[in-house]
Every structure is written in C-alpha cells, then in structure tokens.
Amino acid sequence: MTSKHTLPTPSPDDARLRAEPVERLRDDVRLLGELVGQVLREQGGDDLFQSVEYLRTTAIALRSGEQQGGDPEAEMQAWAQGLSTSRLLELVRAFSIYFHLINLAEQHHRARTLLEREQHERPLRESVAAGVAELHSAGVPRDAVIEHVRRLRVHPVFTAHPSEARRRTLLGHLEQASALIAHLDGLPEGTTRDAALDEMRTLITLLWQTAETREERPTVLDEVRSVLYFMVGNVYRVAPTVQRSIESALAQSFGSGAPSPGEIAPVLRFGTWVGGDRDGNPSVTPEVSRAAARMSRAAVLARYRQDVTALGRAMSVSQRLVGCSDDLLHSIEQDRTEMGLQAVSRWADEPYRRKLGLIEEKLRRTEVGEQGGYSTPEKLLADLEITRASLEAHGGRRIARGPLLDFTRRVQIFGFYLAELELRQHADRHTEAVAELMGLAGVPEYETLGYEERQAALEERLAGPPLAIPAPALSLPTREVLDTFRAMLDIQRSGGERACRTCIVSMTHAVSDVLSVLFLAREAGLYAWEGGDAPAVCRLDVVPLFEQIRELQECGAIMRALFASPAYRAVLHERGNRQQVMLGYSDSNKDGGYLAANWQIYGAQDALAQAAAEAGVELTIFHGRGGAVGRGGGPTGRAIMARPPAAFLPNLKVTEQGEVIFARYGQSAIAERHFEQILHALLVASPDGGTHNPRPPHVKWVSAMKRMAASSQVRYEQFVKQSPATLRFFREATPFPELGTLNLASRPVSRAKSPTDEVRLEDLRAIPWVFSWTQSRINLPGWFGLGTALAGEIEVGNLDLLRAMYREWPFFTMALDNSQFGLGTADMQAARLYSTLAVDGEAVFREIEEEHRRSVDAVLTVTGQGELLEKSPILARSIKLRNPYVDALHIAQIALLRHLRSLPDDAPELERAVLLDAVHHSINGIAAGLQATG
C-alpha cells in the first residue's frame, strides 16, 4: 500500500529466490501492498488513496518519532473525527484487506521456510523423526519406544466459540489468494507472472467489494459447515501423512525391527462441539445436534466416495498377469449377488477395479440409506483389508501401502462420523432437570440439598430401571434435557458409539454433578445398573469440567470421591477404567487472573493425575485452551513440556477455537507441522524413558509460586471484581457493547439480556472479555497482576530464586514467556486513546498503565532480557512492523465509536446501522492486524 506505481522486477539470476528468508517475505509484503494500492486507486480514486497514505505515513512517523512540532497525534485524531462514516469505512477496509493478505504471506513464508529446512535439516527439529531419534540415541529400548508410540493420542476438538471474525465467504476468497501467493513465489517475469498478478488484482477487487461482516447472526448449522470445510479439507488430507511420518521415523531408527506400515493404530482422533455445545446457547437443540451429525456423516461419506473413485481409476492390476486371492474374488461375487448387480465385462480382468466399484456403490447406498450399504465402518475396513491382503500376496506390496493404506487410515480415524460430536451442558441445567424428576419420584426439594446429600440421593436411585415419566408430565426445559440424551443415542445408532459418546459438564462443583448425567442418561437408554457388584451398561463418557479457581483447587478431591462412588465405579469398569477430565483456561483466568489461573491449572493436573493413579484409572486431561494468552494460548509443545511430572501423559486432548482453526489448519503444510510438533513433545516428554526428564519442582519454588499466585489474584480481584469503575471502563473504553451486536457466532457474548445492560463480570463470557481488551490493546487477561506478584518477590530479595525458577522449571518459563506475548502486543500508547472514550476513565487507566509497567520491568528483570520477546525476534519484529498499520485502524475505530455513541436516541435507524456496520468492520480489521481475537 505504497505510492509507487511500478512492481518489483526479478533480476535475471532470480536473486529474489536466493535472498535471505526475511528479505523474501519483505518482497512479498511489498508486492501485495502495491497491488492493494493499485486496486484502491481503481475503486476509490486518488482521493481515497491519498487518505490511506496520509493515515499510514503519519502513523509510521508517530511510531518512529519522526514527527516534529505541534501535536500530530491529536491532529490525526481530529482529521479522522471530521471524516464521513463512508470514508472511515473505506479506510478501515483498506487496512483490513492489507492485513488479510499480509497474514497469508506470512503463512506462506512459514510453509516455504519449513520446506527448505526439511531439505537441509535431517531430521527436522521438533518432528516425529527427531523425537524417535532422540529416544533411540538416549538408549531407550526399541520395544519401549514402540510401546510408547502405540499409546500416543492427539485429539483436537473443534469449537465454534465466537472468536473467528471473518465470514466464511471471505475465508474462501482468502484461500484462493493464499494459493495464488504460493503460485507467484518464484514465477519469472513474463506473461505467466503478469497473468498471475492480474488474477491477484481481481481477487483483491473481490475482497474490496465483499462485506466482511454478516448481516445476520450465523446459525449453528452455518458454523457446522464452516468446521466441515476444514475437516474434510486439510485435516482429512494430512491425517494419513502424520501416520506415515510415525512409521517412517520408527523405520529410520530401528530398521527391520520397526512395525510394518499399518500395524500401529492411528494416533489422531477428532471431535467437535459445533452443534453439541448447548452451554449458554439456546440455538443448540437436540434436533440441531442430530442435524449436525447427519451433515458430518454425509460429508465424510462423500469424501470416501471420491477417494474410492480415484483408487478404482488407478488400480488397473491385471488378474491374468499377477493373479489375485480367492477371498477377493469370493467377496466380489458375494457383493454383486447381495446388491443385485450384473458383472461388468470391461473389468473382467481387473478384480481390484471391480471390488472398488462395488465399494463405491456400497458407500453410495450408505449415504442415501438404501439396502446393501455399510452398516458400520468396520464392514468397510473389512473390504479394504481383503483388497490389501490380495495385493500384498501377489506382488503389489507397494500398491497396497500407498493410497489404499492412506484411505484405510482415514476410515479408521474418521469412521462414518468424521469427528465425534461432543455434548456440553451447564451443571445447573442438569440439576434442574434431576430436581424435577426427583420431585415426581418422591424426593421433594432436591435443589435445596447440599452436594453430599444430592450424591447420596442419586446413588440410592441410580440402581434400577428408568423412571419413564411421560413427557407431558414434564416441563419443556426438562424435556429438552432428556431429548438431548436421546439425540446422543440416535446419533450412535447411525454412526456408531464413537460418533457421539462424550457429555461435558460445565461448572462442575461436586460428584453429584457427574452422577446427575447418569441419572438423566438412564431415561434415554444410555445407562443401566442394577446396583451392588452388578456390571453397568454405559454408552457415554461423562467429563467433568473444572473452570474456576476454587474448583481447580478441589478437583483432585472431587475425583477421588467420584472414583469411590459404587455407582460410578461400575461405570469406570464398563468404560475400561478410562476417565476424561476437562480444565477450563478461560473462565479460570476471568475468575482469578493470569498467574493464579496458570498456577491452579498446573496444580489441578498434578492432583488429577495422582487421584487417577491411586484409583488405577487411565486419565486423559482435556485442555480447554483458546488462542489468546488470557485463554491458555501459546505454543502447544511448550505447554506439554511444562506439565507437572505426574501428568506427563502420552495423550493430548485440546480445544481448537475460532481464528486458531484457520491459522493451524488453513494450509496443509502448517497443519502437518502442528501435529508433528505436538507428537514430538509427547514422545520426548515421558517419565517412562523420555529424554525430557521431568523433576518435581523444588519446594522453595512451589512456595514462591503459591505466594505469587495469591498476591496476583488479590491484585486482580481488587481491580476487576471489587471495582465497579473497572467494569464501567471496560464497557466504555473497549468496543464490547458493539462486539455484542457483531454477528460472529450463534452463541451470545453475554448472559445479560443485551450488551447494553449493566456489565457484571459473572455475566460475561470469557471470549468476548478477552476479545474486547485485545481490541483496545490492553490485553488485561494476559498479564494483569503478574507485575505485582513478581515485584513482591523481588522486593524481599528473591530475585535469584525467581531466576533459577525461570531457568530450570518449564512451567515458570512458560508462564513468563507466554506473558511476554500479552505484554508485548499490549500497547499503552494505543490504549491511552481508548481510555479517552471512558467517562472518568483516567484513574482506571493509570492503574492499568502502572501494572503494565510493573509487569514489563519485573519480567525483564527475572529473564535478564533487554526487551520483551527478545528470544522471539521474528515475532517481536512482526509486532513492531504491524503497529503503525494497526494504529491507523485504532484511529478510525475510535472516531467511529465516538460518532456512534454520540448519536441521539431519536437518530435515524439507518444512520445508526451504517455506523455500527463500520465499527464491526473495524473490529474485524484490528483482529486481522493483531492476528488475535479471543
């Protein structure tokens, strides 16, 4: 977006491709900026272009300190304040498009750099091959390594939380732009490059003429379609590649002693909350859950048919040349007879094409529900196994272990459901339904009982048949809760138990919150138990979610009591003594602040692992992490290494939310790298022979962390929970009220009736809480209270202790390094501008500014750095380069907010709607510039 009119021309020796990586990225950015500038001139004329340039160059000069005389910042604000809404919207959209494209260029640069490293670095650092090689070099026995690999599980769960600000239409255009950026990379000068550049101009024009904001709030099924796009796209593509990398790594280290391809079960599993997460979302009904499951089933079956069609075209193996197995021929005749089909004469000598043609027809019938389709994915896998075995036995080993094996792995991973639809509901909703049923069964006032009394009442009544109370006798809310469990059973009947078997209980406080689920599930036929030592029948996994400070502190004791419950012990036995427990990073942060939440999450993992070990239970900790630091964000590998020693488990289950899904799964190479880094960390971070040997933290370190967590929580609670002025400031100095009207997702951003109601912290969802602070560049959830905690220890002479903790304790290292991203992307210069939107906001902002300064100084003192993110120079440089361009969006957003909030009550609705739409576009633009929402 510069004033140049000419495009950079590659030199004859193609020096651009041989330039340093940063220079190549800079060239890409410069080219894209110029193309955006050209389109702006075409679409808005020189007047628009000059306005963009004024805002851009002034913001750069302010950041660099080049402006002299007067008050250029005030002048720029006054200039923006005097612009029309339409011109401000144009400015916002110009910078937004620029950031969307620059983000793609950076993604492409990551993929390009990764490819170059793979060619020169063997094995690639933080890859599966590197992990296996490390274990082998450390002398870990082959059998131990292979057994460790067999136990690995990586289980991402996609959610539709409202933190992806971009429309699905826009994401489609950006995907095309991404492919074009990759295509342009290295194209020489000439007609081919000219055509590609012109195609990019066309795409930029499309972006310019496409509204970024939705006119209507997306439905739950719209969100399902968005997640399906990634699931049947790059996730489906890379899943078997990840498995190949594991087998290849074992073969490289152990040669003929490694398992054969296909012997190790796939390590990947996938889940989704989209269509199943009803906690606070009235739009997620049982029928919506059924529809979401049907859509996922149809999507994966359609992909299977595409794969089988391609396999059939390729599998031209001649029977008369190499033969085939009798089992294969028998299965072909059996399939043909059962489906009433005639033999295809033109494939008489090509049995594999015949078999795959029959598999395709079975899949078609499975899709439409005709007789002769597959009843289970295991039946499809049996057909594939017959095909593979015949190939292996008749000289076709390479063919069998190529695309056919990849397809087999996909069926093993995705089944007939693509991703397990997990159901989530607030514990209070379950309690209300149980109370109504208990009342009808002769136990009045259940809700008034204490937790232990509720547990006793449930244990007494869990044995025996369901109550089977007629639906008309129940309230509508209770009917809806019960129908949710019936929907789970319906989905299982269609896609198998793995299609929908997980019930997450939000805000779990006690054992009774888990037993309530069994009580309700019994009414749907998902659970049955006769009491005593009788075995239980259970078709669901109940997952307690601990997400506030107090519950994180008590979760170990709660799970011990649950494991001791006779009713639940029967369930555990039936479920293979496996238990999932979910930890909520977002609400714990909102409840107690950054450092306290991180410490309690750490302690909860340790307590849960110990409770599970004592009970002989195989534990999976489900991490409810978001993209922002205030919601548990940060490098996943680092988080794995930072777990307490008792919780060094061979599995990782984690939520993937909002814009993180696009960032991690928008490109195949990046998605594959993401999985490789997770697997590498799980491989080497093992107490049973890993190379990253976990040691319990020193007792002095634990004592210091307890003190710091407590002091940071006190500071956070004083500022956030106990100060009405802070929440008023939050509402006035951030675009939270306007964010509430942005059609991001089907789920409301607040439990209040409307975003304009008086803000109460308990009503706020964690994501918009983080999103709003991010927009105003305060990032409060990612650091507030940290400075007070660290400074307190430094003042009493514990600096050397803190430095030792930072050097030697992965948890503390992670906590401080992740905070640097929150502190580093926070910007008090921009935040000060937002503070002027708040009435009497000066005192609150002064507290924020002082705590930010205190936190930065303390972090630098402990880490020994000269500036934040010193160990992440590429990230630090990216933030500095982006800041002036994001400043331009801040200036425009603040002007728009002033216009909107100063409108009289009787202002025309059209004027208000136009202004609000412009603010919404500014929210999207800043999110793109910061690459962060919630």
Side-chain angles (χ1 to χ4, degrees), residues 270-290:
F270 295 94
T272 177
W273 283 7
V274 190
D277 183 8
R278 53 213 352 101
D279 179 13
N281 191 347
S283 299
V284 181
T285 65
E287 194 48 52
V288 163
S289 295
R290 292 180 176 97

Side-chain angles (χ1 to χ4, degrees), residues 400-420:
R401 297 181 180 182
L404 180 65
L405 180 55
D406 286 346
F407 179 62
T408 300
R409 287 171 171 140
R410 288 183 174 119
V411 177
Q412 291 170 334
I413 293 169
F414 300 111
F416 284 174
Y417 55 89
L418 186 62
E420 182 195 349

Side-chain angles (χ1 to χ4, degrees), residues 273 424 544-549 552 581-591 597-598 600-601 604 621-626 630-632 655:
W273 283 7
R424 183 171 78 131
L545 168 51
F546 302 106
E547 48 192 329
Q548 292 189 313
I549 298 297
L552 290 172
V581 180
M582 188 171 183
L583 302 178
Y585 288 68
S586 305
D587 280 286
S588 59
N589 182 294
K590 183 166 75 78
D591 188 37
N598 272 271
Q600 297 304 336
I601 290 281
I621 297 177
F622 185 1
H623 300 268
R625 304 176 73 209
R631 298 189 53 242
T655 52

Side-chain angles (χ1 to χ4, degrees), residues 177-315:
S178 177
L180 199 51
I181 289 170
H183 179 61
L184 275 165
D185 191 13
L187 275 179
E189 186 179 10
T191 55
T192 303
R193 183 173 179 81
D194 291 343
L197 290 171
D198 207 43
E199 188 177 347
M200 181 62 83
R201 293 186 190 94
T202 301
L203 264 176
I204 295 171
T205 305
L206 263 175
L207 291 172
W208 177 256
Q209 295 187 5
T210 300
E212 288 199 34
T213 58
R214 305 173 179 95
E215 288 194 312
E216 296 180 354
R217 188 172 292 276
T219 68
V220 178
L221 297 185
D222 289 333
E223 293 167 337
V224 172
R225 293 182 188 96
S226 293
V227 169
L228 288 180
Y229 171 80
F230 291 100
M231 287 297 303
V232 297
N234 288 332
V235 171
Y236 184 89
R237 277 191 285 271
V238 305
T241 308
V242 172
Q243 198 67 21
R244 281 189 178 277
S245 70
I246 293 171
E247 293 166 348
S248 174
L250 292 173
Q252 288 170 19
S253 289
F254 302 115
S256 60
S260 299
E263 280 189 33
I264 294 179
V267 300
L268 295 178
R269 293 286 183 272
F270 295 94
T272 177
W273 283 7
V274 190
D277 183 8
R278 53 213 352 101
D279 179 13
N281 191 347
S283 299
V284 181
T285 65
E287 194 48 52
V288 163
S289 295
R290 292 180 176 97
R294 288 194 298 269
M295 291 167 65
S296 294
R297 175 181 168 87
V300 74
L301 288 173
R303 281 307 308 260
Y304 287 170
R305 286 185 66 198
Q306 292 174 14
D307 278 7
V308 171
T309 300
L311 283 168
R313 283 197 296 265
M315 210 76 75

